[in-house]
Amino acid sequence: MNILFLTMSNFSDISEHGIYPDLLRAFSSKGCFITVLKPVERKLNIKTNLEVKNNMHIINVRTGNLFNVSFLTKVISRAFLTFNYWRAIKRFAFQTKFDLLLYTTPPISLTPIIRKLKRKYNSYSYLMLKDIFPQNAVDLGMIRQNGVIFKLLRQRERRMYRFADKIGCMSEANVEFILNQEPWLSKEKVEICPNAIEIYNTLPINKNMNRETFELPLNKVLFIYGGSLGKPQGIDFLLSCIEEIEDDEVVFIVAGTGPYLKKISSFSEQYPNKIRVFSWLSIEKYESLIKACDVGLILLDHRFKIPNFPSRLLNYMEFSLPILAATDNATDIGRIAQGNEFGFWCESNNIKDFISHVDRLKNENLRNEMGRNARDYLINNYSVDAVVENIIRTAKVE
């Protein structure tokens, strides 16, 4: 099976450990031939190029700047994304007959490419729905509900759903949301396709050794948040909670990049005993940092009406960390963690509940039990091999 994978994820190496590199390697291990299109931002000053790695063709497409930039810059860069990607396909992959078109959101602007390739090759198209735009921008006040921009983007969103043969959603809440929002969609067209990773056998973890590497306290309970630091993550709520917590047994670790990095760094200078901040880390160093910690944090702005499902959950579960999720009411990530006894949940505008959960998670026996449950749930529900087998079976049968 020849597969074209289109994504905006900017992973640097196909051998990395992450949801997309793991997915592609799993397809390759099943005998599939993979062509990948992914962005290389203009600020890196690299031209569009083709690499051959692990028997895959990886087309690095020069685009505008997409990450850690202003909203306007991001919008302009995405507007030219279809042109950039189509030109790269014509240059490097136009002679390949693709059986499966596999693509992710964001963005919604790749639909014209999918439509052209479906017509040219009679390909099967599988949309992996990772965000729901433009509603998420409305929820955060970035654009106006039912305004001209919103209506234009909604037309493109619906077109994207129409041209997909199958829509894979991250969780049951995502499936329900899409079917309620788009009642014209057939239920058979929508299924669960969770974020998933290759699950490694982990040796016993020496937390103290990893803490010494990062100069972290040995005798504290460490709560870690890793990922984007922006408005969608409700960072202001986390800082308000940390400010209220007077317990000197607890330290919060924040690792990531984004618009709120400077604000968090300034906050950490005010409260050096409560919070430590790390900016960009390699995958290997980030995983070592997780191994040094006790609890993984999932953060989402409480205003969201769409059910996000952050993939950073999997990193925590892989290393047997219990979860504390502070989110909106729409997502089911907290209900899944709490219902399967590997974490706690509160709404991300309820400081009292958040602090109460922090206090409960100081119990080492409880953390160990929940951590074991987290890894077991990961193995049984978020294995990349199961996701790949389902997509291949779906594409061949239909």
Side-chain angles (χ1 to χ4, degrees):
M1 178 181 285
N2 286 336
I3 300 175
L4 178 64
F5 178 68
L6 302 97
T7 183
M8 261 185 58
S9 177
N10 61 345
F11 56 87
S12 58
D13 195 322
I14 203 67
S15 62
E16 284 181 3
H17 187 31
I19 59 172
Y20 296 133
D22 287 5
L23 179 81
L24 297 171
R25 290 196 307 273
F27 272 115
S28 183
S29 71
K30 304 291 183 185
C32 300
F33 177 78
I34 314 294
T35 300
V36 180
L37 263 81
K38 66 183 187 69
V40 175
E41 296 177 276
R42 183 184 297 115
K43 61 189 174 188
L44 299 177
N45 199 27
I46 298 173
K47 293 182 179 180
T48 298
N49 64 85
L50 171 67
E51 296 179 276
V52 180
K53 289 186 176 180
N54 296 70
N55 297 318
M56 301 181 206
H57 284 185
I58 302 167
I59 303 172
N60 300 296
V61 185
R62 181 182 171 91
T63 67
N65 296 324
L66 297 161
F67 305 100
N68 299 322
V69 293
S70 69
F71 181 72
L72 179 60
T73 299
K74 190 178 296 186
V75 168
I76 293 172
S77 296
R78 288 189 179 187
F80 286 95
L81 205 62
T82 299
F83 172 76
N84 298 142
Y85 273 39
W86 183 245
R87 186 168 60 177
I89 289 172
K90 290 177 70 175
R91 180 179 173 188
F92 291 111
F94 209 54
Q95 302 307 314
T96 305
K97 182 184 185 303
F98 294 108
D99 305 297
L100 172 62
L101 307 174
L102 187 64
Y103 52 111
T104 68
T105 56
I108 62 175
S109 54
L110 296 178
T111 303
I113 295 178
I114 302 303
R115 181 175 57 186
K116 289 179 182 180
L117 293 176
K118 277 176 67 71
R119 288 175 176 173
K120 180 177 175 62
Y121 301 122
N122 193 30
S123 308
Y124 189 90
S125 58
Y126 194 106
L127 169 63
M128 302 175 72
L129 196 65
K130 301 300 184 184
D131 77 344
I132 299 171
F133 183 82
Q135 185 59 49
N136 57 0
V138 171
D139 293 346
L140 297 179
M142 295 178 177
I143 60 175
R144 187 165 57 88
Q145 182 89 45
N146 295 323
V148 174
I149 294 176
F150 175 80
K151 289 179 180 178
L152 175 63
L153 293 172
R154 279 288 284 141
Q155 287 178 354
R156 293 186 176 184
E157 182 189 13
R158 289 194 177 106
R159 197 176 301 132
M160 176 180 66
Y161 298 149
R162 189 174 299 116
F163 282 106
D165 291 309
K166 185 72 76 173
I167 301 171
C169 298
M170 294 181 290
S171 70
E172 186 62 43
N174 281 256
V175 170
E176 292 174 3
F177 182 91
I178 289 299
L179 292 176
N180 287 334
Q181 178 182 258
E182 313 291 349
W184 55 272
L185 276 175
S186 165
K187 290 183 179 180
E188 288 70 32
K189 190 172 185 174
V190 185
E191 68 178 10
I192 294 178
C193 179
N195 293 326
I197 57 172
E198 182 180 357
I199 302 168
Y200 300 130
N201 291 323
T202 55
L203 298 172
I205 296 171
N206 187 328
K207 282 190 187 294
N208 285 347
M209 185 174 69
N210 286 285
R211 291 186 180 196
E212 288 170 356
T213 299
F214 292 98
E215 299 181 350
L216 297 172
L218 303 181
N219 59 344
K220 307 289 185 181
V221 181
L222 303 187
F223 289 71
I224 182 170
Y225 171 79
S228 298
L229 306 175
K231 187 175 289 189
Q233 289 72 41
I235 298 299
D236 286 326
F237 170 75
L238 176 65
L239 299 184
S240 297
C241 291
I242 294 173
E243 199 168 16
E244 290 291 323
I245 292 174
E246 298 179 354
D247 194 330
D248 61 3
E249 295 179 49
V250 172
V251 175
F252 289 84
I253 310 299
V254 175
T257 59
Y260 276 64
L261 177 59
K262 185 175 181 181
K263 182 173 185 176
I264 296 170
S265 298
S266 298
F267 182 87
S268 70
E269 292 173 4
Q270 289 182 265
Y271 300 98
N273 296 323
K274 288 187 173 186
I275 180 172
R276 303 286 180 87
V277 180
F278 297 85
S279 56
W280 185 88
L281 295 172
S282 67
I283 297 293
E284 293 79 10
K285 286 187 177 180
Y286 174 58
E287 290 183 351
S288 294
L289 184 60
I290 294 176
K291 292 176 187 177
C293 297
D294 300 296
V295 180
L297 294 173
I298 299 293
L299 303 172
L300 289 169
D301 191 290
H302 71 94
R303 291 172 293 175
F304 274 125
K305 295 181 178 66
I306 60 169
N308 296 291
F309 206 97
S311 62
R312 67 185 60 90
L313 172 75
L314 309 182
N315 299 117
Y316 304 147
M317 298 172 78
E318 183 176 15
F319 298 111
S320 301
L321 266 63
I323 306 303
L324 174 51
T327 71
D328 52 83
N329 275 311
T331 181
D332 52 355
I333 195 169
R335 294 193 293 275
I336 290 172
Q338 202 155 271
N340 292 280
E341 299 183 339
F342 64 85
F344 294 119
W345 173 82
C346 67
E347 193 169 358
S348 55
N349 60 358
N350 191 325
I351 295 175
K352 181 180 177 181
D353 280 0
F354 184 90
I355 294 175
S356 174
H357 292 322
V358 167
D359 189 59
R360 294 173 71 183
L361 285 164
K362 290 190 302 182
N363 184 308
E364 184 177 3
N365 291 331
L366 177 62
R367 292 199 309 271
N368 290 339
E369 181 182 351
M370 284 188 158
R372 287 190 295 270
N373 293 343
R375 184 168 169 85
D376 288 344
Y377 194 87
L378 174 74
I379 292 169
N380 293 326
N381 295 275
Y382 301 138
S383 163
V384 73
D385 288 327
V387 168
V388 164
E389 288 171 6
N390 178 66
I391 293 175
I392 291 175
R393 182 172 58 251
T394 299
K396 285 183 175 179
V397 170
E398 299 187 11

